[in-house]
Structure formats: structure tokens, C-alpha cells
Amino acid sequence: EEFYGKELILADRETVEQEADSILKEADVCDVAFLVVGDPFGATTHSDLVLRAVKLGIPYEVIHNASIMNAVGCCGLQLYNFGETVSIVFWTDTWKPESFFDKIKKNMQNGMHTLCLLDIKVKEQSLENLMKGRKIYEPPRYMSVNQAAEQLLAIIQNRRLQGEEPEITENTICVGLARVGAPDQKIASGTLHQMSTVELGGPLHSLIVAGTMHPLELEMLQLFSVDSSSFEKNAFQRTT
């Protein structure tokens, strides 16, 4: 605020999704800037804001930014070899969806890499507080590469118990990324099993499940390998 000489309003998910009209209320008479982390169109919510502005006859301008969707190229996997991006959500005792696993499997069958966006729980309410209308929020939680890998490993075991031998296994080559773009960003490549134990530090984390790799991609991933000997053996199998 001191730098720009403008008032800043912190807009959380609830504000953007449920109070979008308040963001646009003054935009027909003065400039309103909506600032986001990543690229503005990395979330459907932001497309909703544009559509609302157009319906109200309010002109808009988009200034693009870097996003995890393209910044993952820092690990050496080529962006045009990525398939559908998936989200891995936190499991609960009663809710353990596996649909993201099937999307990763489909990408792998097509030789494509999969970027997995890991769950973020910020300003989430417990079921009890939600039902009682109490604005009490749970502490923030950010899924780690370890947690995502553990859930994928659990699904692999479930599929085997059902008589299926998944194409994705403990030895599938993956890449863990943390705090991409920050001075302390960290990248680690190795098997899915290794991703369940690798230490990448604080949030935000992302996970890539590698598909068929070009020799240059393989050479780049070796720069970040957790264990070069096992990585080379397993990764070579994915390039053939």
C-alpha cells in the first residue's frame, strides 16, 4: 500500500467465489486490479469474473504471469509432452477417490507426463461448524509430495487386490517439486516409492508422473535424481 499509494484488500477464495459482485461494484467508474498467484486463467473462478464484467459492460485487460502449469518445465520434462493435468485431493477416513489415478494411467498409455496439483486446505470449515454457520476455520494444510505418493501407492495396492496390475508401479519415475520459482526451490526425481520418503521442505509442492521420455528429458532428470543408480535403471525402461 505504501509503494502503490492504493488500498489493498486481501481476497480469499470465499470472497472471490461468493462476493464477486463486490469486486466489480466500483469497476465501472474506476480501475480495479485483481491480483492472483500464478497466471490469471489458472483457475475457472477467474474466468467467471471476466464473464461477469463483460455482462456488466465493464472493459477488462489481462496481464499474464508465470504459473506452475508452465514453470514445471524447470525439471527438464518438455511441456508439449504433458497430458491432462490432475488434482490429488486429501483423503479422509470415509472418502478416498481414485479418479485422478485413472487420468494419470490414460496419460501414461499415451506416453504423456502428468502434472499433479496437490491439495490445499485454507480457510476450510469443519462439517460441524459449516452446518452451524460458524465462521471458524481449520488450520491450513498443504499436501506434500510424500502424501501424494503414499496415496498413489495405496491405490496401486488396491488395484492389485482387485486382480489388476497397474501400469503405474512403485518403480514409475516421478518428479517432486517444491516452491517453484522461489530462491529455495527444490526438485527431486526418482521412483514413486522414493517420492514417498523424499524431503522437500515446506509448501507448495507438485508431483509429476513421467511418461515416455526423450533422451534429453532423461538426461535433465538425472540432474535431480535421488538415487542415480536405481533412477537410471528404471528410467531407461520408460524410454524404450
Side-chain angles (χ1 to χ4, degrees):
E1 290 182 332
E2 182 181 346
F3 182 82
Y4 286 108
K6 302 284 185 180
E7 179 188 5
L8 295 179
I9 300 169
L10 294 178
D12 55 25
R13 179 191 292 270
E14 189 175 288
T15 302
V16 178
E17 292 182 351
Q18 299 177 23
E19 301 173 26
D21 291 337
S22 67
I23 297 174
L24 297 170
K25 185 171 63 175
E26 304 295 332
D28 59 340
V29 293
C30 66
D31 290 337
V32 174
F34 178 61
L35 312 177
V36 304
V37 176
D39 191 78
F41 292 112
T44 54
T45 303
H46 306 152
S47 297
D48 176 67
L49 274 176
V50 168
L51 293 171
R52 287 172 183 266
V54 170
K55 287 177 182 176
L56 294 170
I58 300 171
Y60 70 92
E61 178 185 0
V62 177
I63 300 173
H64 290 284
N65 188 17
S67 165
I68 192 62
M69 301 289 284
N70 64 289
V72 292
C74 64
C75 73
L77 294 178
Q78 296 164 6
L79 293 178
Y80 52 77
N81 289 335
F82 278 78
E84 181 179 355
T85 299
V86 307
S87 295
I88 299 182
V89 298
F90 279 115
W91 279 353
T92 68
D93 292 338
T94 57
W95 187 61
K96 297 184 178 182
E98 298 185 3
S99 56
F100 54 83
F101 187 86
D102 295 312
K103 291 181 179 180
I104 298 172
K105 176 182 172 182
K106 184 177 179 181
N107 282 341
M108 183 167 283
Q109 288 171 340
N110 291 328
M112 310 298 283
H113 313 311
T114 305
L115 169 61
C116 303
L117 304 178
L118 308 188
D119 205 358
I120 298 171
K121 297 290 187 186
V122 178
K123 290 198 76 173
E124 296 281 336
Q125 294 173 273
S126 68
L127 184 58
E128 181 184 355
N129 287 329
L130 188 62
M131 291 176 66
K132 294 184 176 180
R134 296 186 298 211
K135 296 288 185 178
I136 301 173
Y137 301 101
E138 299 294 294
R141 290 190 297 148
Y142 306 91
M143 183 180 285
S144 67
V145 163
N146 312 119
Q147 291 170 306
E150 286 170 1
Q151 289 188 186
L152 288 170
L153 290 169
I155 294 173
I156 291 169
Q157 292 302 318
N158 290 341
R159 298 293 172 96
R160 285 178 178 153
L161 290 173
Q162 296 167 16
E164 176 186 341
E165 184 53 46
E167 292 187 29
I168 307 163
T169 72
E170 296 85 349
N171 293 321
T172 295
I173 293 301
C174 296
V175 186
L177 305 100
R179 302 171 304 283
V180 172
D184 63 343
Q185 90 169 18
K186 198 161 185 179
I187 304 172
S189 60
T191 65
L192 178 58
H193 175 71
Q194 288 169 335
M195 290 301 104
S196 68
T197 59
V198 72
E199 182 51 58
L200 295 179
L204 295 169
H205 288 198
S206 299
L207 176 69
I208 301 171
V209 180
T212 304
M213 285 178 279
H214 184 278
L216 281 177
E217 293 179 298
L218 179 55
E219 188 174 351
M220 281 291 292
L221 285 196
Q222 288 174 324
L223 297 177
F224 311 109
S225 62
V226 174
D227 182 339
S228 57
S229 59
S230 67
F231 176 82
E232 289 170 12
K233 178 181 67 177
N234 288 287
F236 180 74
Q237 294 172 355
R238 291 299 304 152
T239 62
T240 55

